[in-house]
Amino acid sequence: MLSIKYRPEIDGLRAIAVMAVILYHAKFMLHGKYFLKGGYIGVDIFFVISGYLITSIILNEIKSGTFSYLKFYERRARRILPPLFTVMLASIPLAYVFMMPKSMKEYSASVLSSLFFDSNIWFWREDSYWAEPSALKPFLHTWSLSIEEQFYFLFPAILILLWKYGRKYATHSITALFLLSLLAAQIYCRKYASAAFYLLPMRGWELLAGALLANLEMNGFKTQSKLLHAIMPAIGLILVIGSIIYFTAKTRHPSFITLLPVIGTMLLIWFGKQKGWVSSILASRLFVCVGLISYELYLWHFPIFAFSKIHQPDSAEYEKIIWIILTFALAIATYYLIGKPARKTSISPARKFFPILTSVFLCLLMTEVYFYQTNGAEFRFARFSKIVEMNYWDEKKPYYNEFSTHPGCWLSERNITPGHPFQLCQSREALNPTKRIMVIGDSNAASLIPGLVKHFGKNNIVQRVVDGCLPARKFATNFCKKGITAAFNDINKIHPDVIIIGGFYLLDEHLQQMQFLFDHELKDYRNKTIILGPLPRWGIEGLPAKLMKAYNLYPYKIPEMLAPSPETFTLDKHLAELAKTWGVAYLSPVKTFCSETKCLVRVGTKRDEIVTWDFAHLTHHASYVLVEKNADLIRKFVG
C-alpha cells in the first residue's frame, strides 16, 4: 500500500469542526442570543474531510493493487466501533435512571438503529412534532456516522469500477454524482427539509467534494500559482468561520448555500499543504491535539448534554462549561484507553478484537431490544404508572382517532398529498353541516378537536391542522406555506360560522405575525374569530416527568396543581390584550386550568386524565373539559 502523508493541519480543521458542533449544541447565550448558531456546519466539514482522506486511502490501495474490502471494513470497524460501543454502554445506566418510558423507548430504538448504521433513516422517520425534543435524544448525533458508513458501503465499489473500466472518466463521474446530489439537496431542502438533512442522496455531495479532491490529487493535478497558495487558505478559513457564525436555524441546509463552508473546507485541504499562517495555526499543537480526539469528543458530547438536560432542564451557563470539561475528560480517556489501542493490530489482534467486539455488540443489541419491548422499561414505574399514563401518545394513536376529525385533516410532511393538501380531508367532510366550526393551526389547535367533537358533533367541525406550523403569514418551510395557505384559502369556500386559530406561539415573533393575519386573511372575519390562548406549558421535560418528580418528593401522591413554565402566564396575558386590540374573541386555557401561579395537573382520577401528556399538548379528557368550560363562548357564534 502507498503511504498517505500525515497532514497535521487537517487535524486542526477537525478541531474547528468538532468545537463548532459542541459549542452549537451547548447553546451558550451571548447578549441574550445563542452563540454560534451555525455551529452545525461542523458536521459538513467532517464530511468533506472524511471524503478526502478515505478516498485517498482507497485510491492508493487500488492503484497499488492492495485494496481489500475485508481490510477496508476492518479498519473502519477498528476506528468507529470501539469508542461508539463504549459510549453506548455508558449511556445504559443513565437512560435507566433518568428517562421516562416514552423517552427510553425512543432512546433504545435510536441505539438499535445506530448499531446497524441506519440511525439517519430512523431519525428522519421519527422526526415529527411528537418525537422527543432533539436536545433530549442522546444518540441523535449518530445520524452523521450512519451517513458516512452508508456512503462507504457503496463508494469503494464505484471507485473500483471506475478505475477498471473508465479511469479517464473518473473525475467527470465523481463530479456528476456531486452535482446530482447537490441538486437533490437544493430541491428537497425546500419541500422535504427533514429528508434533505438526514438522507444520503442529499448529503453524499459533501463526501464527494472531498473524494473529488482526492481523485484530482491522485491524477497528479497541482496548483502552481504562489498567489493562490498565499490567499486561498485565508479565503477558505473565512468561508468556514463565516458560515459557523452567520448560518442560523432558518438557513436552508443542505442546499446551494452550504457550498460556502464546503468550498471553504476544500480550499483549506487543497491549499493547506503549503506552509502559511493559516496552515501554521491549524497545525499548531493545541489544534492538532483537539483534532486527534475529535471523533471521541463528537461521540461523548451529545449524550452528556442530553442526559444533563433530562436531569436538569434549566441549565446555567457554568453548568454547560462543566459538560464540556467532562466531554474532554471522557474523550481523552476513550481515545487512549479504547480507540487508539483498538486500531493497532499489534495490541488488538483480529483473533481477540472481533470476538470482544461481537460480544459487546450482542450485549447492546439484547439490552436495547429488551428495553424497547418493555415500552421503555415501564416496569421501573409500576406504582406510578397505575395512576399516570406515561405512554399516552403511543397507545391512543390520536392522528387517526381522537384528535383528527377525518384522515387527512391533520397534515404532516409524510401524509401531504399532491394538489390540494386537504383533498382527502375534504372528501370525508359533511356536505351540509348545521354548524361550521373551523379550526386552523398546529397541534395546539388540534387539542380542541376531541372536545369540539363531543359537544358539537364531528360533522360540524372543519379541521385544518398542519404539523408544527403556526397560523401565520411568515412560514418556516414550504410545507407550512402550502398547508396553512390552503387552510386560509378554504375559509372563503366553507364560510364558517366561527374560526378558531391556535398555535404554539412564542412571545414576540409569532404575535407580531398575527397582526398581519387580521389585516389580510382574516380581515373580513374578525367578528367570527376566536384566538385559542397558550395551553399550560411544562418545559422541555413535560408534565409526566414533573409529576414523577413530585410523586417521589411527596411519597405516592400526585399534587393537584403545579407551577408551569412562566411563559404560560406571560403569553396568556399578552395575547388576551392583543385579542381586544384586534377585536376578536379570546379563549383562555389558562383561565380554565390555572390559578394565578399554578395549573391543574389532572382533570379526573383515571391514568389518562392528566391535563397534558407531554410539554404542552392536551389529553382528550382535558380537551373535553376545556371545550365544556368554554362552550358558551363558542355558542355565541354558532347558536
Side-chain angles (χ1 to χ4, degrees):
M1 183 184 82
L2 298 176
S3 61
I4 303 295
K5 184 181 178 182
Y6 173 66
R7 294 180 55 184
E9 73 278 3
I10 289 182
D11 270 329
L13 190 53
R14 280 188 174 129
I16 291 176
V18 77
M19 289 311 301
V21 172
I22 289 173
L23 293 174
Y24 168 71
H25 286 143
K27 301 293 183 186
F28 282 108
M29 301 291 286
L30 185 65
H31 303 304
K33 295 183 178 180
Y34 286 126
F35 179 60
L36 293 184
K37 290 183 180 180
Y40 56 83
I41 289 299
V43 174
D44 305 79
I45 297 170
F46 276 129
F47 281 158
V48 180
I49 293 172
S50 175
Y52 169 73
L53 292 176
I54 302 303
T55 303
S56 294
I57 292 171
I58 294 171
L59 287 175
N60 269 275
E61 292 185 350
I62 291 174
K63 185 177 181 179
S64 64
T66 59
F67 179 79
S68 161
Y69 279 106
L70 194 62
K71 291 294 182 182
F72 174 75
Y73 290 117
E74 179 183 345
R75 287 197 302 268
R76 295 299 296 169
R78 288 178 179 274
R79 168 82 170 107
I80 300 296
L81 297 182
L84 177 63
F85 287 179
T86 300
V87 177
M88 286 178 170
L89 286 170
S91 74
I92 292 173
L94 295 173
Y96 192 87
V97 171
F98 293 123
M99 283 184 149
M100 297 292 282
K102 179 178 180 293
S103 304
M104 187 156 184
K105 187 174 182 179
E106 291 185 9
Y107 152 84
S108 297
S110 69
V111 173
L112 289 169
S113 63
S114 299
L115 286 172
F116 293 97
F117 292 107
D118 66 347
S119 62
N120 60 322
I121 298 171
W122 159 256
F123 287 118
W124 166 61
R125 291 172 62 87
E126 190 225 22
D127 186 31
S128 73
Y129 204 67
W130 304 112
E132 284 293 302
S134 295
L136 303 186
K137 300 175 183 177
F139 286 90
L140 178 65
H141 63 323
T142 61
W143 70 268
S144 63
L145 299 183
S146 296
I147 289 275
E148 283 198 43
E149 295 317 304
Q150 289 162 18
F151 181 81
Y152 293 124
F153 180 76
L154 299 171
F155 196 56
I158 293 173
L159 287 178
I160 288 171
L161 289 172
L162 286 174
W163 187 267
K164 189 172 182 179
Y165 299 109
R167 192 179 309 180
K168 64 179 180 179
Y169 300 113
T171 302
H172 297 86
S173 300
I174 295 172
T175 303
L177 290 172
F178 168 89
L179 293 173
L180 285 172
S181 177
L182 174 59
L183 183 61
Q186 176 66 21
I187 293 170
Y188 269 73
C189 79
R190 291 178 174 273
K191 295 184 178 181
Y192 309 102
S194 182
F197 187 87
Y198 283 117
L199 301 185
L200 177 61
M202 282 66 74
R203 284 290 192 168
W205 66 276
E206 296 173 306
L207 289 145
L208 288 165
L212 188 58
L213 293 181
N215 184 70
L216 290 172
E217 191 173 74
M218 177 61 63
N219 290 332
F221 185 82
K222 294 181 180 179
T223 305
Q224 302 295 338
S225 171
K226 291 182 179 180
L227 178 62
L228 290 178
H229 279 289
I231 65 172
M232 285 303 173
I235 292 174
L237 190 62
I238 289 169
L239 290 174
V240 167
I241 301 299
S243 300
I244 291 170
I245 294 172
Y246 292 109
F247 277 31
T248 70
K250 294 181 180 179
T251 304
R252 283 202 172 103
H253 170 78
S255 67
F256 287 162
I257 199 169
T258 315
L259 280 168
L260 294 176
V262 168
I263 290 173
T265 305
M266 293 174 75
L267 292 175
L268 286 168
I269 292 172
W270 189 258
F271 293 99
K273 305 170 193 175
Q274 304 297 322
K275 289 185 178 180
W277 66 271
V278 173
S279 297
S280 296
I281 291 172
L282 293 177
S284 63
R285 186 174 181 81
L286 177 62
F287 277 73
V288 170
C289 286
V290 174
L292 286 172
I293 60 169
S294 59
Y295 175 57
E296 287 76 12
L297 285 169
Y298 184 77
L299 285 180
W300 276 110
H301 87 282
F302 209 84
I304 289 171
F305 291 9
F307 283 116
S308 298
K309 290 171 185 174
I310 292 168
H311 177 59
Q312 184 63 45
D314 301 316
S315 305
E317 298 297 282
Y318 78 89
E319 291 177 301
K320 296 174 183 178
I321 296 173
I322 295 173
W323 301 350
I324 294 175
I325 292 172
L326 180 59
T327 297
F328 268 87
L330 291 172
I332 292 169
T334 305
Y335 176 77
Y336 283 105
L337 298 178
I338 306 294
K340 197 173 181 180
R343 296 180 210 175
K344 296 181 177 180
T345 54
S346 58
I347 299 175
S348 305
R351 67 179 184 277
K352 293 182 180 179
F353 175 78
F354 284 106
I356 294 173
L357 196 70
T358 302
S359 299
V360 176
F361 174 85
L362 292 174
C363 175
L364 287 166
L365 182 67
M366 290 186 290
T367 302
E368 300 303 343
V369 166
Y370 176 71
F371 287 156
Y372 188 84
Q373 294 291 348
T374 55
N375 276 325
E378 191 175 11
F379 57 81
R380 293 172 296 155
F381 306 103
R383 181 174 291 181
F384 179 69
S385 65
K386 290 178 181 179
I387 55 176
V388 173
E389 174 57 67
M390 292 185 291
N391 279 309
Y392 177 88
W393 190 252
D394 288 344
E395 291 185 5
K396 297 299 177 183
K397 305 294 183 187
Y399 258 115
Y400 304 99
N401 190 7
E402 297 279 357
F403 291 82
S404 191
T405 53
H406 304 284
C409 294
W410 185 341
L411 294 183
S412 71
E413 285 197 68
R414 289 176 181 77
N415 71 9
I416 193 168
T417 57
H420 194 291
F422 292 100
Q423 63 184 17
L424 177 60
C425 175
Q426 290 171 333
S427 69
R428 305 294 180 90
E429 290 174 335
L431 295 177
N432 296 298
T434 56
K435 305 177 182 69
R436 290 181 174 87
I437 302 172
M438 189 172 189
V439 179
I440 299 175
D442 61 14
S443 55
N444 279 43
S447 290
L448 281 175
I449 297 299
L452 290 172
V453 169
K454 181 177 180 181
H455 287 86
F456 296 97
K458 181 184 288 189
N459 288 340
N460 297 314
I461 314 301
V462 178
Q463 181 179 11
R464 296 292 184 268
V465 166
V466 188
D467 231 7
C469 301
L470 288 160
R473 301 190 80 234
K474 187 177 181 182
F475 305 106
T477 64
N478 275 8
F479 163 71
C480 287
K481 181 178 180 180
K482 186 176 182 180
I484 294 295
T485 300
F488 283 132
N489 289 340
D490 279 354
I491 292 174
N492 292 325
K493 300 174 184 176
I494 293 166
H495 303 294
D497 297 306
V498 62
I499 303 165
I500 304 176
I501 64 170
F504 192 81
Y505 302 108
L506 301 179
L507 188 56
D508 296 320
E509 181 182 356
H510 298 148
L511 299 189
Q512 290 172 7
Q513 290 182 40
M514 288 184 69
Q515 177 66 56
F516 290 101
L517 287 181
F518 295 108
D519 290 339
H520 296 84
E521 284 85 351
L522 298 176
K523 183 178 180 180
D524 298 328
Y525 291 90
R526 290 192 185 205
N527 63 339
K528 292 186 175 184
T529 299
I530 299 174
I531 296 176
L532 174 66
L535 304 173
R537 299 181 181 183
W538 302 100
I540 197 170
E541 60 184 332
L543 179 59
K546 278 186 173 291
L547 288 177
M548 184 67 206
K549 289 180 180 179
Y551 183 77
N552 290 332
L553 192 61
Y554 306 102
Y556 313 133
K557 291 183 180 180
I558 296 296
E560 183 180 351
M561 304 183 85
L562 284 175
S565 300
E567 68 193 78
T568 301
F569 299 105
T570 307
L571 270 170
D572 179 65
K573 182 179 178 181
H574 192 46
L575 198 50
E577 291 171 352
L578 288 175
K580 283 183 181 179
T581 303
W582 296 328
V584 299
Y586 185 64
L587 194 163
S588 173
V590 170
K591 285 189 177 180
T592 303
F593 295 117
C594 307
S595 66
E596 291 186 0
T597 58
K598 294 183 177 181
C599 294
L600 289 171
V601 299
R602 57 199 306 175
V603 293
T605 58
K606 294 180 181 178
R607 294 173 69 233
D608 57 358
E609 289 183 336
I610 54 178
V611 172
T612 65
W613 58 269
D614 66 348
F615 61 92
H617 295 98
L618 299 184
T619 62
H620 61 291
H621 290 292
S623 178
Y624 299 159
V625 172
L626 179 61
V627 174
E628 181 182 356
K629 297 285 188 182
N630 294 276
D632 289 342
L633 171 64
I634 299 170
R635 287 194 184 99
K636 288 179 182 179
F637 296 89
V638 299

